[in-house]
């Protein structure tokens, strides 16, 4: 009989809490054996809600535990690459929240350690696993809509994250649009060769004061000739809004 996968969670903030609840209440094949956060009370609150038996003092304590099969890295982005490397060296499989890092060199270093250790790594680009987006991808791969010519992505968050988060996020393009860049490459199945954007601060002047933008339209040119747009806003007053339309030579498909 297969044993339950023993997981540990690093970072009990907005997304860590969500993953903890998913594992505790929806994934019977796995259990959270430990959790840690630099703010111990945050880890304790999630441990209590999700019946996680141990609050570890830090990630190192988790990585030394031979009973842990895999870790979920849900701490801020600037901690991801180092934690991926430490986890891989400790022989743990890794789920790492997006993005791995803002520097390609650090991402490549982390990926090479993962390869060397022979562990599995999944990055939190969750939208590929949404049945609607997966269906659009199938329509492209199967030729159902012919050769893709145009792709439009609308990706709007319900409300911006706290300013403290924005300041460490790397900016909207690396923090939020990263999901849409992933979706664009996933759907079209090719690389982007040219990109430009119009962006501004429309939602909250504090976002501008923090050196970021909150609203943008981005134009993508793909190597195969397809053209795409991404429409981003940190705030859609009616709620989370994720849509895509692809026009091909034989038809179009939209979520
Ligand atoms: N896939 C998605 O849709 C999605 C959504 C939101 C956030 N994220 C990603 O998840 C990550 C976290 O975002 P968030 O919104 O949950 O942030 P958050 O600030 O709400 O939570 C981060 C938590 O990590 C803790 N922390 C900081 N350094 C730590 C360390 N070294 N070890 C352990 N804990 C540490 C903080 O105390 C905090 O509780 C970011 O990289 C973000 O890009 C992904």
């Amino acid at each position: 009989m297969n044993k339950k996968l023993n997981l540990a969670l690093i970072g009990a903030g907005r997304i860590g809490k969500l993953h903890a609840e998913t594992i505790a209440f929806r994934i019977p094949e796995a259990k959270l054996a430990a959790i840690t956060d630099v703010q111990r009370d945050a880890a304790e609150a999630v441990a209590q809600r999700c019946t996680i038996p141990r609050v570890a003092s830090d990630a190192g304590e988790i990585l030394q535990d031979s009973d842990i099969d895999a870790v979920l890295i849900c701490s801020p982005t600037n901690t991801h690459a180092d934690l991926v490397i430490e986890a891989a060296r400790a022989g743990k499989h890794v789920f790492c929240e997006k993005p791995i890092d803002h520097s390609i060199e650090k991402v490549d270093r982390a990926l090479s350690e993962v390869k060397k250790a022979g562990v599995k790594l999944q990055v939190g680009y969750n939208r590929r696993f949404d049945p609607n987006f997966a269906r659009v991808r199938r329509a492209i791969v199967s030729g159902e809509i012919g050769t893709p010519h145009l792709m439009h992505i609308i990706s709007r968050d319900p409300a911006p994250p706290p300013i403290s988060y924005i300041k460490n996020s790397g900016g909207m393009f690396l923090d939020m649009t990263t999901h849409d860049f992933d979706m664009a490459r996933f759907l079209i199945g090719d690389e982007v060769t040219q990109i430009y954007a119009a962006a501004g601060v429309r939602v909250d002047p504090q976002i501008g004061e923090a050196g970021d933008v909150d609203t943008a339209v981005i134009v993508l040119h793909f190597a195969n000739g397809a053209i795409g747009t991404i429409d981003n806003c940190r705030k859609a007053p009616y709620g989370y809004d994720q849509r895509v339309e692809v026009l091909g030579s034989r038809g179009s498909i939209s979520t």
Side-chain angles (χ1 to χ4, degrees), residues 10-16 19 36-39 42 59 74-77 79-80 83 97-99 124-127 165 175 179 240:
I10 301 168
R14 286 187 313 158
I15 203 72
H19 288 310
T36 188
D37 193 297
V38 287
Q39 293 178 49
C74 301
S75 45
T77 300
T79 65
H80 292 179
L83 286 170
E97 259 309 340
K98 47 56 55 176
Y125 289 109
N126 47 301
R127 289 183 204 157
Y165 175 97
D175 181 60
H179 277 291
Y240 191 51

